[in-house]
């Protein structure tokens, strides 16, 4: 073949005879291996042109002039080549001097996401796994599958049922508690800030209830034998019982007070038993009053004041009920089993129990059993009646602890409904009763002891004369958690508080800021209000007043008592009370007790500046003296089920 050839024939040229496109244009629209394939064949060039082309590879080339007679070489289309759509300009188009950079193309093997239809045609999907084998299960396998399916269905059904029951039970309990809560009749009775409270720190965590049974002559109580308003107007405290439960719940002590006990009545607001409210009228204080008459005039508030002063206990709960309420509660639990050694005949009520032996008492019979006070065989009617009341409550407690009531939903629900319906209370609600019940689950009946306040005969008005010293000893033992006669409980663990030791050398300490000392002020001066006045004066200097009350003993000196390890606090307090005597003792914990003595008036001055040196050497070491409990106390233990 030569370099010369015949001129092209006029008219449209076939593709192999068309003019070549500019080389840079072709290179800009080619990539990789395809670009190298698209180089124009050398057969279309002369030898001179080829030599010149090779020599000019490294030099920038001017654009090839457009020649319509030159042959265009079209690159073959392969699978890797981009689809047509504007990559090759139409024939007759002059390429620009500075062509724009080629558009970005997806990597080889990845289709353009914009070309949806084309991508759907080219993307290959993974093969779906196919089952192999015959695909037929044996009878045993089919049976196992059916059994597993049934078990799954049963398990899911059971879980769903349990969830529904739990949700329903929760709703019922919540609704029951809310309904029960609204049935309590709340009244005003308590005085928890009273100066008559002794050793408030020692009673921390204790629960003390005052339970009162009234004998109002009106309404249902009059219909069941309480009497008429012609006998006595208003309501009287027929039964008064103080129940103490220590913080460790190791025992229960219930102390009964004779209804005719001779007491000093404080000034009290007038009580209207019908409405359960107090009026603006007040009754002056009086000596020689009967305990039940105190309630008739001043109601629960006046009675709480009298009992709190006599006992020194901090009464935190009040429960009152009448005869009708008592009868209803006994009937709800199916009666109470009582054993007697003989028949019970009352001069007014008649025959209560016809013979000795075991008896299941219904509500009406139980009410007569605990009320009868004209029984010739018992001598002192009030004490015989109190003993029967205590035995009855012991039997009721044994039945409850045995599960006869607590584990019977019908009886328990009826008892709670009757209790909430027939009582008037203060600081009592369903939650507190449930908390108390849970905390006493492990209390044995033998750890529940009933005592009766001792008396020394009657005076000219027929009032029972209280044995004051013996009563003080009983309640001091209760506050100090000392053993009581007839009590059967496990020995408590020894206390963790160290016993004070005799001072050897003087102990110097640095004064503390007053705010770091917690002070309990107790009155032993015999002057009413002395402790409260001293507490107010100490608080003005920044001392933290823990409580104010009466001292359990007498003291002529003003004392600052403290436990081991709290000498700095005690010395700081003593620096504010000139003449105070430091006494180290046990049982106070972090509390510093100031005892107002009777010898001189107690004055309060500014305490020492913080950091000032102070002498914390105790002048005396306090040692607890054993409490002498009278040997002739009337005691009933709830665990004693003998019939004597």
């Amino acid at each position: 073949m030569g370099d010369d050839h015949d001129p092209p024939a006029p008219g449209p040229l076939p593709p192999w005879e068309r003019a070549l496109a500019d080389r840079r244009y072709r290179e800009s629209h080619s990539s990789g291996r395809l670009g190298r394939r698209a180089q124009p064949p050398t057969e279309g060039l002369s030898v001179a042109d080829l030599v010149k082309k090779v020599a000019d590879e490294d030099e920038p080339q001017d654009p090839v002039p457009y020649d319509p007679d030159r042959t265009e070489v079209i690159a073959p289309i392969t699978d890797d080549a981009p689809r047509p759509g504007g990559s090759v300009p139409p024939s007759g188009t002059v390429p620009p001097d500075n062509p724009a950079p080629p558009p970005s193309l997806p990597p080889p093997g990845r289709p353009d996401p914009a070309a949806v239809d084309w991508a759907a045609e080219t993307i290959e999907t993974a093969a779906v796994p196919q089952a192999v084998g015959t695909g037929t299960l044996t009878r045993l396998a089919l049976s196992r599958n059916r059994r597993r399916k049934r078990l799954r269905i049963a398990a899911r059904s059971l879980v769903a049922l349990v969830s529904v029951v739990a949700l329903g039970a929760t709703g019922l309990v919540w609704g029951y508690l809310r309904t029960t809560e609204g049935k309590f009749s709340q009244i005003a009775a308590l005085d928890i800030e009273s100066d008559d409270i002794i050793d408030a720190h020692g009673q921390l965590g204790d629960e003390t209830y005052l339970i009162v049974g009234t004998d109002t002559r009106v309404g249902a109580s009059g219909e069941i034998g309480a009497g008429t308003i012609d006998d006595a107007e208003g309501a009287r405290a027929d039964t008064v019982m103080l129940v103490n439960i220590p913080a460790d719940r190791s025992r229960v002590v219930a102390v009964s007070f004779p209804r005719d006990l001779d007491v000093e009545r404080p000034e009290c607001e007038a009580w209207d038993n019908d409405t359960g409210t107090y009026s603006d009228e007040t009754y002056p204080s009086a000596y020689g009053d009967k305990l039940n008459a105190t309630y008739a005039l001043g109601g629960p508030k006046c009675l709480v004041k009298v009992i709190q002063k006599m006992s020194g206990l901090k009464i935190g709960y009040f429960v009152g009920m009448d005869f009708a309420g008592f009868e209803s509660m006994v009937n709800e639990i199916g009666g109470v089993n009582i054993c007697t050694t003989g028949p019970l005949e009352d001069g007014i009520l008649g025959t209560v129990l016809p013979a000795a032996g075991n008896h299941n008492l219904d509500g009406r019979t139980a009410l007569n059993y605990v009320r009868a006070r004209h029984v010739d065989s018992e001598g002192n009617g009030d004490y015989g009646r109190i003993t029967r009341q205590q035995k009855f409550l012991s039997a009721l407690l044994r039945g409850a602890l045995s599960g006869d009531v607590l584990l019977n939903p019908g009886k328990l629900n009826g008892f709670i409904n009757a209790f909430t319906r027939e009582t008037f209370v203060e600081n009592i609600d369903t939650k507190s009763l449930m908390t108390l019940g849970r905390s006493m689950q492990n209390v044995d009946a033998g750890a529940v002891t009933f005592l009766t306040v001792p008396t020394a005969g009657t005076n000219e008005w027929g009032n029972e004369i209280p044995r004051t010293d013996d009563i003080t000893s009983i309640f001091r033992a209760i506050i100090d958690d000392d053993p009581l006669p007839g009590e059967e409980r496990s020995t408590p663990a020894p206390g963790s508080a160290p016993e004070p030791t005799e001072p050897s050398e003087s102990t110097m300490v640095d004064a503390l800021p007053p705010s770091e000392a917690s002070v309990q002020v107790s009155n032993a001066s015999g002057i009413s209000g002395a402790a409260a006045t001293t507490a107010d004066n100490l608080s003005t200097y920044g001392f933290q007043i823990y409580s104010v009350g009466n001292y359990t003993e007498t003291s002529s000196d003003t004392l600052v008592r403290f436990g081991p390890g709290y000498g700095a606090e005690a010395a700081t307090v003593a620096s504010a009370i000139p003449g105070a005597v430091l006494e180290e003792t046990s049982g106070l914990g972090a509390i510093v007790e100031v005892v107002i003595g009777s010898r001189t008036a107690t004055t309060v001055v500014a305490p020492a500046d913080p950091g000032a040196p102070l002498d914390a050497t105790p002048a005396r070491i306090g040692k607890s003296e054993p409490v002498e409990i009278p040997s002739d106390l009337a005691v009933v233990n709830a665990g004693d089920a003998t019939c004597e």
Side-chain angles (χ1 to χ4, degrees):
M1 178 182 295
D3 292 338
D4 298 328
H5 61 279
D6 294 333
L13 297 177
W16 57 85
E17 292 182 355
R18 292 176 187 171
L20 292 172
D22 181 77
R23 176 174 61 82
R24 284 179 294 178
Y25 179 85
R26 294 197 309 274
E27 290 176 351
S28 68
H29 287 75
S30 302
S31 61
R33 189 171 53 182
L34 179 60
R36 292 193 294 272
R37 287 182 180 179
Q39 297 297 327
T42 58
E43 291 81 3
L45 296 176
S46 65
V47 175
D49 292 337
L50 180 61
V51 173
K52 187 176 184 301
K53 177 178 176 62
V54 173
D56 296 340
E57 282 293 331
D58 297 331
E59 297 180 5
Q61 301 294 325
D62 295 332
V64 179
Y66 177 72
D67 185 359
D69 294 333
R70 296 184 64 180
T71 301
E72 179 183 4
V73 180
I74 299 176
I77 298 176
T78 65
D79 291 340
D80 294 334
R83 293 284 177 176
S87 61
V88 178
S91 177
T93 303
V94 179
D97 293 339
N98 296 314
S104 60
L105 299 175
R110 286 189 181 179
D112 185 2
V116 179
D117 296 337
W118 177 72
E121 295 174 0
T122 58
I123 296 177
E124 295 184 359
T125 59
V128 179
Q130 299 294 326
V132 296
T134 61
T136 303
L137 297 177
T138 64
R139 291 183 179 180
L140 180 59
L142 290 173
S143 177
R144 288 176 179 172
N145 287 345
R146 287 194 296 268
R147 186 160 53 251
R148 289 171 184 168
K149 185 176 181 180
R150 287 196 297 267
L151 288 175
R152 284 196 299 268
I153 294 174
R156 291 171 182 170
S157 301
L158 180 61
V159 170
L161 179 61
V162 170
S163 301
V164 172
V165 171
L167 181 62
T170 302
L172 288 175
V173 171
W174 182 85
Y176 175 76
L177 293 179
R178 295 281 295 179
T179 303
T180 305
E181 195 74 36
K183 295 180 180 179
F184 282 104
S185 177
Q186 298 284 343
I187 51 93
L190 304 178
D191 185 12
I192 59 176
E193 301 295 334
S194 172
D195 292 345
D196 295 325
I197 298 172
I198 295 175
D199 190 12
H201 175 71
Q203 299 185 51
L204 189 64
D206 291 5
E207 307 254 3
T208 302
Y209 294 76
L210 182 61
I211 301 175
V212 178
T214 65
D215 60 350
T216 177
R217 265 62 167 172
V218 298
S221 294
E223 295 173 2
I224 62 176
T228 65
I229 57 175
D230 295 333
D231 302 327
E233 295 183 3
R236 281 163 171 73
D238 191 70
T239 300
V240 178
M241 189 174 292
L242 190 61
V243 180
N244 175 263
I245 306 169
D248 61 2
R249 305 297 189 261
S250 61
R251 72 176 182 186
V252 178
V253 182
V255 181
S256 296
F257 295 81
R259 55 175 285 172
D260 292 337
L261 187 68
D262 188 81
V263 297
E264 177 185 353
R265 188 190 70 229
E267 182 178 289
C268 298
E269 300 174 70
W271 163 255
D272 186 344
N273 189 74
D274 295 335
T275 62
T277 59
Y278 299 89
S279 68
D280 295 335
E281 182 183 1
T282 59
Y283 293 102
S285 59
Y287 291 93
D289 209 356
K290 283 183 169 64
L291 184 65
N292 65 345
T294 297
Y295 180 87
L297 295 177
K301 275 187 179 181
C302 200
L303 184 63
V304 166
K305 289 181 180 180
V306 171
I307 300 299
Q308 203 156 241
K309 183 174 183 178
M310 188 179 302
S311 66
L313 292 175
K314 181 180 179 179
I315 301 174
Y317 307 89
F318 178 87
V319 180
M321 70 182 72
D322 57 19
F323 286 166
F326 177 85
E327 179 181 355
S328 176
M329 282 185 281
V330 173
N331 286 332
E332 289 291 349
I333 61 175
V336 176
N337 292 319
I338 288 293
C339 180
T340 62
T341 57
L344 182 61
E345 296 282 345
D346 183 82
I348 296 177
L349 298 176
T351 301
V352 178
L353 296 177
N358 290 300
H359 305 272
N360 182 270
L361 308 184
D362 60 13
R364 180 62 61 89
T365 306
L367 180 60
N368 289 336
Y369 178 81
V370 299
R371 287 184 56 224
R373 60 193 303 262
H374 299 279
V375 181
D376 294 338
S377 60
E378 292 179 347
N380 187 318
D382 230 9
Y383 278 90
R385 185 174 60 92
I386 289 174
T387 301
R388 275 184 273 109
Q389 291 174 354
Q390 294 172 347
K391 288 182 177 180
F392 180 86
L393 292 176
S394 297
L396 176 62
L397 181 63
R398 286 195 301 272
L401 293 178
S402 67
D404 188 42
V405 175
L406 293 180
L407 300 182
N408 186 319
K411 290 184 178 181
L412 182 61
N413 182 60
F415 181 81
I416 292 176
N417 285 334
F419 180 83
T420 57
R421 183 179 61 249
E422 304 291 352
T423 59
F424 46 99
V425 301
E426 184 176 7
N427 201 27
I428 296 285
D429 55 24
T430 307
K431 182 179 179 181
S432 64
L433 289 177
M434 293 180 66
T435 302
L436 177 64
R438 285 194 300 267
S439 68
M440 294 184 60
Q441 285 180 347
N442 296 324
V443 177
D444 295 330
V448 181
T449 305
F450 293 89
L451 305 175
T452 304
V453 166
T455 59
T458 59
N459 58 21
E460 62 270 25
W461 300 294
N463 298 351
E464 297 281 348
I465 303 172
R467 289 158 46 181
T468 307
D469 292 342
D470 291 338
I471 294 173
T472 301
S473 298
I474 291 171
F475 288 110
R476 180 180 171 186
I478 293 175
I479 294 173
D480 295 341
D481 201 21
D482 290 338
L484 295 170
E487 189 175 66
E488 300 175 6
R489 62 168 174 167
S490 57
T491 304
S496 58
E499 290 293 332
T501 57
E502 294 291 340
S504 55
E505 300 178 356
S506 77
T507 303
M508 299 301 296
V509 297
D510 293 336
L512 299 174
S515 60
E516 296 186 14
S518 296
V519 183
Q520 172 180 318
V521 184
S522 302
N523 191 3
S525 66
I527 301 174
S528 178
T533 301
T534 302
D536 291 341
N537 293 336
L538 287 172
S539 65
T540 60
Y541 290 106
F543 290 100
Q544 302 300 307
I545 304 302
Y546 177 78
S547 65
V548 178
N550 289 327
Y551 192 49
T552 56
E553 303 174 7
T554 59
S555 177
S556 57
D557 295 324
T558 295
L559 307 176
V560 176
R561 306 174 72 237
F562 64 97
Y566 293 91
E569 289 84 350
T572 303
V573 174
S575 69
I577 305 175
V581 177
L582 286 173
E583 178 180 314
E584 185 176 1
T585 186
S586 60
L588 288 175
I591 303 299
V592 176
E593 183 180 20
V594 175
V595 179
I596 309 301
S598 59
R599 181 176 299 173
T600 57
T602 300
T603 58
V604 177
V605 299
D609 294 331
L614 295 174
D615 187 358
T617 306
R620 65 176 72 170
I621 300 296
K623 295 183 179 179
S624 300
E625 299 179 359
V627 178
E628 295 184 5
I629 303 295
S631 58
D632 59 345
L633 280 180
V635 179
V636 173
N637 187 275
D640 184 7
T642 59
C643 188
E644 298 178 354

